[in-house]
Amino acid sequence: MPYAVGQQQYPQEPQYQGPPQQYQQQPQQQYAQHPQQYPAEYQGYAPEHPQQPQHPQQLHPQHQQQYPVQQQHPHHQQPGYDGQPDQVWDTGQGQQAVPYGVDPYAQQAVAYPGETPDGYATDTAYPPPQPPGRRHLVPEPSTEWQDEVAEPEEESLLPAGGGGDGDEPPSGGRRGGRGKGKDGKSKGTKRTGSACLIAALVIVGAVGGVGYYGFSYVKAKLGMADDYTGEGTTSVDVEIPKGASLGQMGAILQKAGVVASAEAFVNAAQEHPKGSGIQPGLYPLRKQMSAKSVVEVMSDPSKLNVIIVAEGLRNVQVYGAIDKKLKLQEGTTAELAKREVKTLGLPAWAEEGQNIKDPLEGFLYPARYDLTTGITPQDLLKKMVKNATEKYAALGIEGKSKDLGLKSPLEVVTVASLVQAEGNKHEDYRKMAAVIYNRLKPTNNVTMQRLEFDSTINYIKGTSNINVSREETRSIEDPYNTYKVKGLPPGAISNPGIDALNAVLSPDKDGWMFFVSVDGNKTTFSKTLAEHNKLVEEFNARQAQKKQQQSGG
């Protein structure tokens, strides 16, 4: 019996479970030839469908003749059933039992009452599968079908089809690339041009971005950051906080209008030998300075707009530095300190001594003091006294003074100032403190409780001579002359630092009684007068030789 698929009829090739039997082939003339054939890749296609449609198509025995091909039209249901058993045929997905005369691929959806729509008659449908007996037949596809059904195009590394667009395929072969439209122009040409344009824009943007950042990197590496030239214009004070990095310093300077860019300052600081040692503080600068000029100023501590009280400085030196930094008339700060001494925050025990030349001596604590805009000498003196008072309280000198054999905390500060003035190095401070304590003892029968320190003569005179003449030590009448007055001077002779203070609180216990400054840098200590006299003779011999060399004799 003929087999109906869509609008074609093909011979049925049944498969039997029992012994093979001969079955009659239908004449070749019974099969209608379809005017179109389909590519091989569509053969055997079997969309999902129920194995037993609810509306099977049947062929009446009287309708077993050829029908003309009718595209896009549903099948006619044929009434009746001839009672033939179901046939089994291979669909390419396993054997399935199908009722005789039923299209296994018919859609279940019913387009019209009493009709089953043809699922292969739509424009977008896949072609129906070939029956098993006809799958080996692959006719040459027609040109008309190729125009309507475009084959999947091959992937290309080039955008929009690459350069093979519109090429004619070789004779008898499959078309490659894109086909041509009805106007003869290659399909996808417009899209190819747009894609190339977009790709070109992306490439240009990428190259431009890389070039910009590359130039910026090279510019920074070569020190090509924005920079001014010259020494600047108007004056401006810039304060650099503690802990600021070079980059943060540059940002502050740029914001103040001093440098053109922070990068220029960082580059200049890295190239300068002392650029990494720039200290925080207030700097007197100018606007629109070159980064190199700014680094030159800021790397010089003397240009820093601060007051630095070094260990061992006397008050007269500190007063002069304040006048100079604040651009005041000489003597202004000294006069203010004398007049406003009771308003500067001194502790009550600071004025216990008599004949004190300067009650602030020993209370201007060694440290660095930043000069902010609008600061006054009185502000600075208050800060210094406050620092000293807090440090002395932290060391506990009030409670320890009695344990050291001293009369008051003021004498602790006085001893520390003497140790600071006579000791040249920190390792000498504890020995120097021992000398002072041993000479103050009532058992001292060599100097008779006199210290005999040259530093006290220099304090009276306002000098710093290493060699004080014997005549001076005997002729000067002053409470601070330790050659003539027993015990300590009335007050401190300098501003001691923390190491001198600690040495006073913990002196050496080896019984040092004498010392000689050999060359101004090295100090030699001794315990007996004989050892001391020998050292003094050696010192005098070196001094005489030095004078002779200086005179050219």
Side-chain angles (χ1 to χ4, degrees):
M1 297 296 293
Y3 175 76
V5 178
Q7 290 134 2
Q8 299 182 5
Q9 298 180 6
Y10 301 98
Q12 186 74 323
E13 296 180 7
Q15 298 181 6
Y16 297 95
Q17 301 296 329
Q21 300 179 7
Q22 298 295 328
Y23 56 92
Q24 182 179 0
Q25 296 286 346
Q26 299 293 332
Q28 184 68 21
Q29 289 81 8
Q30 284 185 333
Y31 306 111
Q33 297 297 326
H34 197 281
Q36 297 181 358
Q37 302 295 334
Y38 297 93
E41 59 264 28
Y42 295 128
Q43 297 181 14
Y45 175 81
E48 295 182 0
H49 61 280
Q51 294 186 1
Q52 296 183 0
Q54 297 180 1
H55 302 279
Q57 295 181 359
Q58 301 176 355
L59 294 179
H60 195 273
Q62 298 177 358
H63 295 164
Q64 296 180 5
Q65 65 270 12
Q66 298 180 0
Y67 293 95
V69 177
Q70 298 179 4
Q71 297 289 343
Q72 301 180 0
H73 192 277
H75 293 295
H76 293 283
Q77 282 191 337
Q78 305 296 334
Y81 180 68
D82 58 1
Q84 293 293 332
D86 294 343
Q87 302 297 322
V88 180
W89 60 286
D90 187 6
T91 63
Q93 298 178 354
Q95 296 181 356
Q96 300 180 6
V98 182
Y100 187 83
V102 177
D103 184 359
Y105 303 107
Q107 301 288 340
Q108 292 191 30
V110 179
Y112 304 100
E115 295 183 351
T116 300
D118 186 0
Y120 303 106
T122 62
D123 293 338
T124 59
Y126 285 99
Q130 297 287 345
R134 295 295 299 268
R135 290 180 185 175
H136 63 281
L137 299 177
V138 185
E140 181 69 20
S142 65
T143 304
E144 180 182 0
W145 175 82
Q146 294 250 353
D147 290 338
E148 294 180 358
V149 183
E151 293 187 4
E153 58 187 57
E154 298 179 359
E155 293 185 0
S156 174
L157 296 178
L158 297 177
D165 203 6
D167 295 337
E168 290 294 335
S171 175
R174 296 170 59 86
R175 288 183 179 269
R178 291 184 175 84
K180 294 184 179 181
K182 296 181 179 181
D183 55 355
K185 294 183 179 180
S186 175
K187 296 181 181 179
T189 303
K190 182 181 294 185
R191 189 174 69 175
T192 302
S194 301
C196 291
L197 177 59
I198 294 173
L201 292 175
V202 171
I203 293 174
V204 171
V207 172
V210 172
Y212 172 77
Y213 287 107
F215 175 75
S216 300
Y217 176 80
V218 174
K219 181 179 179 182
K221 286 296 183 182
L222 298 179
M224 299 170 59
D226 295 336
D227 197 2
Y228 295 124
T229 58
E231 300 297 325
T233 56
T234 58
S235 299
V236 60
D237 291 335
V238 179
E239 185 173 2
I240 301 299
K242 293 181 180 180
S245 63
L246 288 178
Q248 292 171 334
M249 293 181 187
I252 294 172
L253 293 169
Q254 181 180 359
K255 185 176 180 180
V258 176
V259 297
S261 64
E263 293 81 3
F265 172 79
V266 172
N267 294 337
Q270 291 175 344
E271 294 175 359
H272 196 279
K274 298 181 180 180
S276 60
I278 295 177
Q279 302 178 10
L282 191 67
Y283 289 90
L285 301 170
R286 293 179 176 275
K287 290 190 175 183
Q288 298 183 0
M289 295 178 67
S290 66
K292 183 177 181 181
S293 300
V294 174
V295 173
E296 287 291 341
V297 173
M298 297 180 68
S299 60
D300 185 0
S302 64
K303 302 293 180 62
L304 186 64
N305 199 3
V306 297
I307 295 292
I308 299 177
V309 179
E311 296 177 346
L313 280 184
R314 301 171 189 160
N315 280 8
V316 293
Q317 295 170 301
V318 178
Y319 299 151
I322 294 175
D323 289 341
K324 184 177 180 180
K325 284 292 185 179
L326 298 184
K327 299 178 181 180
L328 302 173
Q329 186 177 357
E330 185 178 354
T332 300
T333 303
E335 180 62 28
L336 184 143
K338 184 177 181 180
R339 184 178 69 248
E340 302 292 338
V341 64
K342 295 186 180 295
T343 66
L344 300 177
L346 285 171
W349 49 264
E351 299 184 41
E352 292 179 355
Q354 297 178 355
N355 302 319
I356 297 178
K357 293 184 180 296
D358 186 353
L360 292 178
E361 196 77 67
F363 290 89
L364 305 183
Y365 191 75
R368 197 188 81 180
Y369 299 91
D370 296 337
L371 303 180
T372 57
T373 304
I375 197 169
T376 64
Q378 190 172 7
D379 296 333
L380 285 171
L381 294 177
K382 284 183 177 180
K383 288 184 178 182
M384 296 174 185
V385 172
K386 183 176 182 292
N387 282 352
T389 303
E390 291 177 349
K391 183 61 65 176
Y392 297 157
L395 293 173
I397 64 174
E398 290 189 63
K400 295 178 180 179
S401 60
K402 300 298 181 182
D403 299 335
L404 296 170
L406 302 174
K407 297 177 182 179
S408 67
L410 180 60
E411 287 193 346
V412 177
V413 177
T414 301
V415 173
S417 69
L418 293 168
V419 169
Q420 186 77 63
E422 291 287 351
N424 292 324
K425 296 180 181 179
H426 290 182
E427 56 264 26
D428 296 339
Y429 289 163
R430 296 183 67 242
K431 292 182 179 180
M432 191 65 67
V435 170
I436 295 173
Y437 287 132
N438 289 331
R439 289 190 181 186
L440 291 176
K441 290 180 179 180
T443 57
N444 174 19
N445 55 8
V446 178
T447 63
M448 304 304 290
Q449 292 84 50
R450 290 188 294 266
L451 295 181
E452 297 183 354
F453 281 3
D454 291 349
S455 57
T456 59
I457 301 299
N458 284 324
Y459 182 74
I460 295 170
K461 296 175 58 178
T463 59
S464 300
N465 296 327
I466 188 175
N467 188 14
V468 176
S469 66
R470 186 65 62 177
E471 181 180 358
E472 288 178 323
T473 61
R474 294 174 180 175
S475 62
I476 296 176
E477 296 291 338
D478 193 283
Y480 282 80
N481 185 353
T482 57
Y483 280 93
K484 297 186 70 171
V485 178
K486 292 182 179 183
L488 295 171
I493 64 171
S494 70
N495 292 286
I498 187 63
D499 290 333
L501 288 164
N502 286 328
V504 170
L505 298 177
S506 179
D508 192 281
K509 302 295 184 179
D510 288 342
W512 304 108
M513 192 70 176
F514 305 95
F515 66 93
V516 173
S517 180
V518 178
D519 55 4
N521 293 319
K522 182 179 179 181
T523 302
T524 304
F525 293 87
S526 59
K527 299 178 183 179
T528 65
L529 182 59
E531 292 174 344
H532 174 66
N533 290 335
K534 183 179 181 181
L535 292 173
V536 170
E537 289 176 3
E538 293 176 359
F539 174 77
N540 291 334
R542 283 192 296 269
Q543 290 297 108
Q545 184 180 4
K546 185 176 180 180
K547 288 181 180 180
Q548 186 178 3
Q549 291 175 351
Q550 289 177 352
S551 62

